[in-house]
Amino acid sequence: MMRLHTHPASPFGRKVLVAAHELGLAAEIKVEHRKVSPVEPHPEVVADNPLGKLPTLVREDGTPLVDSRVICEYLDARAGGGRLHPEEPELRWRALMLQALADGMMEASVLARYETVLRPEALRWPAWLEHQKRKVARTLDRIEQQAQDLDPEAVHIGLIALACALGYLDFRFAEDGWRQGRPRLAAWFERFRTRPAMQATLPRDLVA
Amino acid sequence: MMRLHTHPASPFGRKVLVAAHELGLAAEIKVEHRKVSPVEPHPEVVADNPLGKLPTLVREDGTPLVDSRVICEYLDARAGGGRLHPEEPELRWRALMLQALADGMMEASVLARYETVLRPEALRWPAWLEHQKRKVARTLDRIEQQAQDLDPEAVHIGLIALACALGYLDFRFAEDGWRQGRPRLAAWFERFRTRPAMQATLPRDLVA
């Protein structure tokens, strides 16, 4: 049995779990929810990942794998290879590029969340928060313009990452209304989010 | 000719350029230095990468690729494949895991740099800075303990990323003395840093 250190609110952790579900590997992963704070490391996570970050996968032989991109590629290979990471070069670069944009939106969103929730109120910097949010908005706009990437039949790592980024925006920044002015992205997500892999991994906070 | 938006102080940009040199592709890339700030996007970078982040590669046909991991994998494939990203599975996971740890150190170091240089002094949060630095220190310690990864003859994307992370620490955090207590890592870097690809990409600030 593999073990996954993660948290049900983490968009990167969700990406790994959606990939595992899509690949039929979810039953081989024991999920261990860890409450980590970016200013207080979790000893059991640190034992496997010195960065202290989630998600961290631990293989049956005890070897850890980080981060979410590496874990997803590992799971794909374990399921036979090439299902979520296309092997045909141009399809591969498009999927990996979309994943990079989605990961970048998640990173910016998580930094925005830290700035509004974690950092002591007197030390918050509005320009930083604003800039993180604008990164996300520009990237959403670009994907909306290039909606040929949003093949309603396709499932690959770029689309999984995008769906997790959008799900995180709904979870933490619903008031920003990302669907506004982006009808193609909204329509694509409306369909993708009904996939069993997405429904099985809805973000939530851990109750103490 | 490919174009690369980057900055000579960026450790992620350096990773791409070291990879390009190692693969014999440096002459095919036009380097365009961009001064980007995390609170003020650069219009020419944003035109190719809505996240506004460096490095961003633009292929001959105008299609952009981000981020450094995707660009390095693309360059490796372009040079024939498998030279920097091993194809044998266990070697591949070790190289990608090391890259993920090194990228995590770079990210933490860049966040530490923002906290000490970019953010207005009154808004700095010592606990955040301390935590970023401890992530780096723990990861250096882990790599020092698992020094079997530090094959002095090998060159792969994990080792390139590690060398760029260490070079960035020397460049921005020399006073932290990362070599202290980590003789194997120091000895490995002392040798790796003499490679022409490393010497051709030494970090520096842009003079206005």
Side-chain angles (χ1 to χ4, degrees):
Chain A
M1 196 82 163
M2 295 176 272
R3 290 185 299 121
L4 184 73
H5 300 283
T6 190
H7 188 286
S10 163
F12 295 101
R14 189 182 189 189
K15 183 170 64 155
V16 166
L17 287 172
V18 171
H21 278 277
E22 292 290 352
L23 293 164
L25 292 175
E28 297 179 35
I29 298 173
K30 180 166 187 285
V31 173
E32 300 189 324
H33 287 142
R34 306 298 191 192
K35 195 159 168 36
V36 308
S37 144
V39 291
E40 208 180 307
H42 187 296
E44 294 187 64
V45 177
V46 165
D48 289 315
N49 175 1
L51 294 167
K53 290 169 92 175
L54 304 175
T56 296
L57 186 79
V58 183
R59 293 160 66 184
E60 287 87 344
D61 67 0
T63 49
L65 276 182
V66 296
D67 45 25
S68 72
R69 287 196 202 171
V70 177
I71 299 170
C72 288
E73 190 184 326
Y74 169 75
L75 293 177
D76 195 6
R78 196 169 155 131
R83 283 170 57 187
L84 299 182
H85 301 73
E87 282 164 4
E88 193 280 314
E90 289 311 316
L91 291 178
R92 185 176 184 89
W93 310 131
R94 280 172 63 174
L96 294 183
M97 168 77 175
L98 187 58
Q99 176 176 223
L101 292 179
D103 285 0
M105 286 197 286
M106 291 187 215
E107 275 164 25
S109 299
V110 168
L111 287 173
R113 169 98 182 146
Y114 291 166
E115 192 74 23
T116 47
V117 171
L118 182 81
R119 185 178 284 262
E121 200 162 351
L123 305 180
R124 294 178 193 165
W125 186 19
W128 173 262
L129 174 63
E130 173 66 18
H131 187 65
Q132 301 306 328
K133 290 201 166 199
R134 280 170 54 204
K135 276 187 200 182
V136 174
R138 286 195 308 259
T139 305
L140 293 172
D141 287 340
R142 194 71 52 94
I143 296 170
E144 175 74 14
Q145 290 157 17
Q146 300 176 347
Q148 70 273 20
D149 278 340
L150 303 177
D151 176 350
E153 305 300 330
V155 179
H156 60 60
I157 196 63
L159 293 168
I160 290 173
L162 177 60
C164 293
L166 298 175
Y168 189 73
L169 292 178
D170 277 344
F171 181 55
R172 293 295 194 208
F173 298 97
E175 71 284 6
D176 290 346
W178 67 263
R179 288 168 179 81
Q180 184 107 32
R182 299 173 187 121
R184 290 183 286 192
L185 201 47
W188 170 81
F189 185 60
E190 214 41 44
R191 180 167 168 158
F192 197 92
R193 68 196 285 275
T194 64
R195 298 185 68 82
M198 292 291 292
Q199 291 297 312
T201 59
L202 291 171
R204 62 187 167 86
D205 282 306
L206 279 181
V207 181
Chain B
M1 197 82 164
M2 294 177 271
R3 291 185 299 121
L4 184 73
H5 300 284
T6 189
H7 187 287
S10 163
F12 295 101
R14 189 181 189 190
K15 183 170 65 155
V16 166
L17 287 172
V18 170
H21 278 277
E22 292 290 352
L23 293 164
L25 292 175
E28 297 180 35
I29 299 174
K30 180 166 186 284
V31 173
E32 301 189 324
H33 287 143
R34 306 298 189 192
K35 196 160 168 34
V36 307
S37 145
V39 290
E40 207 180 308
H42 187 297
E44 294 187 62
V45 177
V46 165
D48 289 315
N49 176 0
L51 294 166
K53 290 169 93 175
L54 303 175
T56 296
L57 186 79
V58 183
R59 293 160 66 184
E60 286 88 344
D61 66 0
T63 48
L65 276 182
V66 296
D67 46 27
S68 72
R69 286 196 202 172
V70 178
I71 299 171
C72 288
E73 190 184 326
Y74 169 75
L75 293 177
D76 196 5
R78 195 169 156 130
R83 283 168 59 186
L84 299 181
H85 301 73
E87 282 166 3
E88 193 280 313
E90 289 310 316
L91 291 178
R92 185 176 185 89
W93 310 130
R94 279 172 63 173
L96 294 183
M97 168 77 176
L98 187 58
Q99 175 175 226
L101 292 179
D103 285 359
M105 286 197 286
M106 291 187 217
E107 275 164 25
S109 298
V110 168
L111 287 173
R113 169 99 182 145
Y114 292 165
E115 191 74 23
T116 49
V117 171
L118 183 80
R119 185 178 284 263
E121 199 162 350
L123 306 180
R124 294 178 192 164
W125 185 20
W128 174 262
L129 174 63
E130 174 66 17
H131 187 66
Q132 301 306 327
K133 289 200 166 200
R134 281 170 55 204
K135 275 187 200 181
V136 174
R138 286 195 308 259
T139 305
L140 293 172
D141 287 339
R142 193 71 52 94
I143 296 170
E144 175 74 13
Q145 290 157 16
Q146 301 176 346
Q148 70 274 17
D149 278 339
L150 303 176
D151 176 350
E153 306 299 331
V155 179
H156 60 60
I157 196 63
L159 293 169
I160 290 173
L162 177 60
C164 293
L166 298 176
Y168 189 73
L169 293 178
D170 278 344
F171 180 55
R172 293 295 193 208
F173 298 97
E175 72 284 3
D176 290 346
W178 67 262
R179 288 169 180 80
Q180 184 105 34
R182 300 172 187 123
R184 292 184 285 193
L185 201 47
W188 171 81
F189 185 59
E190 214 42 42
R191 180 168 169 158
F192 196 92
R193 69 197 284 275
T194 64
R195 298 185 67 82
M198 292 291 292
Q199 290 297 310
T201 58
L202 291 172
R204 61 186 167 84
D205 282 305
L206 278 181
V207 181

